[in-house]
Amino acid sequence: MPLHPSPLRHLGPGAHLGVKEAEAALVEHYPRLVRLAYLTLPPALGRHRRVLAAHAAVQRALRGSARRAHGADAVPDVPAPRSGGAAGSGAATPAYAGVRLRAVRSALAYERRPRWWPGQLPSPAALRPPVPVVRGLRLFPRAGGMDEFTLDRTLADVPAPVRAALGLRLLESLSGDSTRALLADAGVADPADAVRAAALVAGADQDRVRRMLRSDEFDPCTVQTRPSDLLRRRHRVRAGVAALVLLAGAGAGLALSAGSGTGADAARPPVPALRGTVPGGALDPAALLRTAPGQWADTSRVDFSAWPPRGGRTGDRELLERALGSWADPPADALLTTTPGTAVVPPAQHPRLLFAGELGGEAVVVFHDGGVRVVRYAEPVSGKGSPALDFARVDDADVTTAAAVLVSRSGTSARYLLAPWVAESATRDLLAPGTPARPLGVDGYGITAAVPRPAEGGGCVSWPAMQLRSSAEIVEKHAFLVTDLGELAPAHLTHTPLPGSGVPARQPREATGPEALTGWARTACSLQGLRRSGVRAVNNWQFAQQPLPGTRSRADWVCTRADTWTGPGRVLVQFVPPAASPTARAEVVSERRNTALCSRFGQHVVADTRWRSPSGAWYVLAAGSRAVERIEVAGSVRGVSDGPTLAVRAGQDTSVRVNARLRGGGTMSSVG
């Protein structure tokens, strides 16, 4: 649905020519100006309001000149263009430069607050009604891929001047000096700092970021539409009628209330008295936060705060009261489980209701405390038995790590409540990489059918995982894997392939492709040691591939990193030689806990192991990541390799030391 401006009002015969030129420049370059304004505006507005605000910022760009144009001696406020302007017809004219400046200034105003302005209120600019008025519809730019989604999340964490600088540099092709000058004219206090920060966001591959900024994800002129919350609109109409009726009888009602000595709270069940310090009203079921359905498609926070309440008992005040009471003051007989690092304390603010319903003979309630925790309460429907309370860390959850939460678990299976943005669900066995995923049934509340759980103890003959796909309304063509590691939130599985020659280091990718599934088939059983340790995501990084001496085969070196909700990571370095079975377990050659190794803060790794060739000869094999340019072996045997891999003939139990030199300086020792 392309959006174009309505015809601008005629400025009158006395208008200065520059104003008409500015109007012509605005209409000619309207889509690029609106894209720049959309990028600058705060993502916290939500996509619908952000679209409207972007059009409003650009359409307001002529207002100052239009007002001055009605004066006899008016001179429009159109500054001369600065050097380094964008190329293109009309792009460097004074008229276009002036309209662009005003559009940026208007968009920046959405994050500006006077010192006296209450901090809990939106900025004064955000309170102004947008010029385009849309009723009954929600507008959304078309969703891009996961890269665009990640960029949008990154931009949500930087100030508006940085977003504006990024747009001016990459979309408008302004020089650094011209960008700083324009931001200064727009009222930015430290434009040089904004330009520096924008360069950090863009990184080394600016062309890639430029392509993403020019994608549909950031195009507020080509949008999709959907109806607004029809149920809420219906309730508003009913509420309006009810309010009129109440106003009509207000006098009589007040008199009766005064005479009886009772108020509206008289018939309201009291909240149980609880130990601990709990903010007023935080344990009142009526005060629970309830997100509107559909809000997930119009928010910059795609996490548990965007989940609407679901389930058949969301209106059961007594159940919600018991659940909140048990959270604040767990009964002595309650079965209590926690993710490591999770505080078992009462809610510090009004919790958000995610689910309340019955399944598996239990009444289950799930809350999000608005910060770092998800809390699950369960009680037997029969009334016989102890309640259960589960506390889990979920801070900084995103579209993948907030995609599901456990609501029921048995010895062999589990059922999950899926995020509202999950459009498709399936299950697959990581130890059967060639077997297609099987569709997973989901009921009207978003509860999955039973999902097999990985077996505990003993052997490892299968490893079930869920394969989910996000709605195209937030991320296009985005499927991902999660698996049960004994927590409320399943762990997200990713894969980082071998680096290509002469290309930047690769980032973790979703583990749904053939290469990733083949890799996980060899390493999935290593997940057994990660259960109930607070893991949020596990990445398989294939950091090296090594020719095996005396053969025509190659072996992979993989660093499997588990990131926890509390921050510290755990690493397994695994050696993956060729095998007759596609599910033969890799050899774990090293394990490290509480380390940054194999993360963006620890991008270099070297490992070694002993390997026996088909002829029976033993070797010391060593390999390093892409920055390793030399490996040395010292000890009972010696060897040197000018490259990231090394193979030296040695006995099975030979004692050696392996060290590596990094490109650009620096050394490191093997983790093996």
Side-chain angles (χ1 to χ4, degrees):
M1 174 184 173
L3 294 181
H4 299 285
S6 57
L8 298 171
R9 65 185 181 85
H10 183 60
L11 299 178
H16 193 281
L17 180 61
V19 177
K20 293 185 178 180
E21 291 175 348
E23 182 177 6
L26 184 148
V27 174
E28 180 182 356
H29 300 287
Y30 188 78
R32 64 188 288 183
L33 289 167
V34 176
R35 186 186 292 264
L36 178 62
Y38 183 84
L39 174 62
T40 304
L41 287 162
L45 288 175
R47 292 195 291 172
H48 173 76
R49 288 193 61 205
R50 198 174 167 197
V51 166
L52 297 182
H55 287 272
V58 174
Q59 293 182 25
R60 288 192 185 107
L62 288 181
R63 285 193 174 183
S65 294
R67 284 193 297 267
R68 284 184 289 272
H70 286 287
D73 300 319
V75 178
D77 180 21
V78 180
R82 304 180 185 270
S83 61
S89 174
T93 65
Y96 177 78
V99 171
R100 180 175 60 193
L101 170 62
R102 293 196 201 98
V104 170
R105 183 186 292 147
S106 180
L108 288 170
Y110 278 76
E111 282 191 3
R112 288 182 182 145
R113 290 179 173 84
R115 291 183 179 179
W116 51 267
W117 191 260
Q120 67 273 20
L121 291 181
S123 68
L127 294 176
R128 291 187 299 185
V131 172
V133 178
V134 178
R135 297 187 183 276
L137 288 176
R138 310 290 289 178
L139 308 181
F140 308 95
R142 296 184 181 276
M146 193 59 191
D147 288 344
E148 288 82 0
F149 177 80
T150 303
L151 176 61
D152 194 42
R153 290 293 298 267
T154 300
L155 294 175
D157 295 331
V158 300
V162 177
R163 296 192 297 269
L166 188 70
L168 292 169
R169 295 284 282 130
L170 299 186
L171 295 178
E172 294 292 294
S173 300
L174 294 186
S175 67
D177 289 341
S178 296
T179 301
R180 285 187 286 272
L182 190 152
L183 292 177
D185 289 344
V188 174
D190 192 347
D193 183 67
V195 172
R196 285 192 297 269
L200 292 176
V201 172
D205 195 353
Q206 293 191 3
D207 288 339
R208 175 174 170 269
V209 177
R210 182 182 289 108
R211 286 193 299 271
M212 287 192 283
L213 292 178
R214 288 175 176 169
S215 69
D216 290 345
E217 179 89 21
F218 298 95
D219 182 7
C221 287
T222 304
V223 298
Q224 301 177 93
T225 63
R226 60 183 292 177
S228 58
D229 191 341
L230 300 177
L231 186 60
R232 178 182 288 185
R233 286 162 56 189
R234 186 180 179 189
H235 287 167
R236 285 173 178 168
V237 172
R238 289 182 174 180
V241 174
L244 291 175
V245 173
L246 288 173
L247 287 172
L254 287 172
L256 289 172
S257 177
S260 64
T262 61
D265 290 338
R268 183 163 153 181
V271 175
L274 302 166
R275 295 195 300 269
T277 303
V278 182
L283 300 179
D284 184 356
L288 285 170
L289 301 179
R290 298 172 185 251
T291 302
Q295 184 171 320
W296 58 269
D298 187 25
T299 178
S300 62
R301 286 189 59 186
V302 186
D303 57 18
F304 287 108
S305 67
W307 283 38
R310 288 170 288 175
R313 297 184 66 175
T314 55
D316 188 334
R317 182 184 176 90
E318 292 184 355
L319 172 63
L320 299 178
E321 207 166 59
R322 289 194 299 273
L324 289 167
S326 296
W327 176 0
D329 189 11
D333 62 339
L335 305 174
L336 196 65
T337 64
T338 63
T339 294
T342 307
V344 183
V345 295
Q349 55 189 325
H350 295 293
R352 188 178 308 277
L353 179 62
L354 305 184
F355 178 81
E358 293 183 11
L359 63 162
E362 291 183 319
V364 178
V365 183
V366 182
F367 301 107
H368 179 236
D369 71 355
V372 302
R373 296 179 297 173
V374 161
V375 179
R376 173 185 174 271
Y377 169 82
E379 64 179 26
V381 174
S382 64
K384 299 178 181 179
S386 301
L389 275 169
D390 302 298
F391 294 80
R393 287 281 294 266
V394 293
D395 37 327
D396 296 323
D398 57 21
V399 66
T400 56
T401 50
V405 66
L406 181 139
V407 287
S408 176
R409 177 186 283 141
S410 67
T412 59
S413 65
R415 299 181 68 185
Y416 293 88
L417 176 65
L418 298 182
W421 58 80
V422 172
E424 292 180 6
S425 56
T427 60
R428 70 179 317 133
D429 183 359
L430 295 183
L431 299 189
T435 303
R438 297 177 296 277
L440 175 63
V442 180
D443 69 15
Y445 294 127
I447 301 292
T448 68
V451 178
R453 295 181 60 203
E456 298 201 34
C460 179
V461 296
S462 70
W463 196 279
M466 285 193 296
Q467 182 168 307
L468 308 176
R469 187 180 66 78
S470 302
S471 167
E473 292 191 43
I474 55 170
V475 187
E476 193 173 46
K477 298 178 181 178
H478 176 228
F480 54 96
L481 293 182
V482 294
T483 191
D484 184 352
L485 292 182
E487 316 284 358
L488 284 183
H492 179 210
L493 303 181
T494 56
H495 165 73
T496 304
L498 276 170
S501 176
V503 300
R506 297 184 177 181
Q507 299 299 314
R509 303 178 180 183
E510 300 302 347
T512 53
E515 182 184 1
L517 293 173
T518 299
W520 271 108
R522 300 292 302 274
T523 58
C525 291
S526 65
L527 295 171
Q528 287 179 318
L530 300 177
R531 283 190 173 98
R532 287 178 286 279
S533 57
V535 172
R536 67 177 292 167
V538 188
N539 180 53
N540 259 357
W541 174 30
Q542 188 180 358
F543 66 87
Q545 192 173 73
Q546 180 170 24
L548 296 176
T551 74
R552 295 183 178 181
S553 302
R554 294 175 176 268
D556 291 332
W557 290 85
V558 175
C559 186
T560 302
R561 178 180 175 84
D563 286 311
T564 63
W565 292 102
T566 55
R570 179 177 174 183
V571 160
L572 298 176
V573 178
Q574 306 192 63
F575 177 67
V576 191
S581 169
T583 61
R585 294 184 68 165
E587 174 194 352
V588 177
V589 302
S590 180
E591 179 178 355
R592 295 287 180 90
R593 296 173 182 265
N594 300 326
T595 178
L597 199 66
C598 303
S599 73
R600 62 192 179 101
F601 302 110
Q603 300 181 18
H604 310 308
V605 61
V606 178
D608 68 276
T609 190
R610 306 298 183 273
W611 175 77
R612 186 180 185 183
S613 72
S615 66
W618 284 93
Y619 289 83
V620 172
L621 301 182
S625 50
R626 60 183 284 122
V628 171
E629 64 177 10
R630 181 182 175 90
I631 299 179
E632 298 181 3
V633 172
S636 300
V637 296
R638 291 182 176 274
V640 176
S641 171
D642 290 327
T645 63
L646 173 145
V648 176
R649 185 82 174 263
Q652 179 179 2
D653 299 319
T654 302
S655 177
V656 297
R657 298 184 305 277
V658 177
N659 295 288
R661 188 175 69 197
L662 303 177
R663 189 183 305 117
T667 61
M668 66 184 309
S669 300
S670 170
V671 299

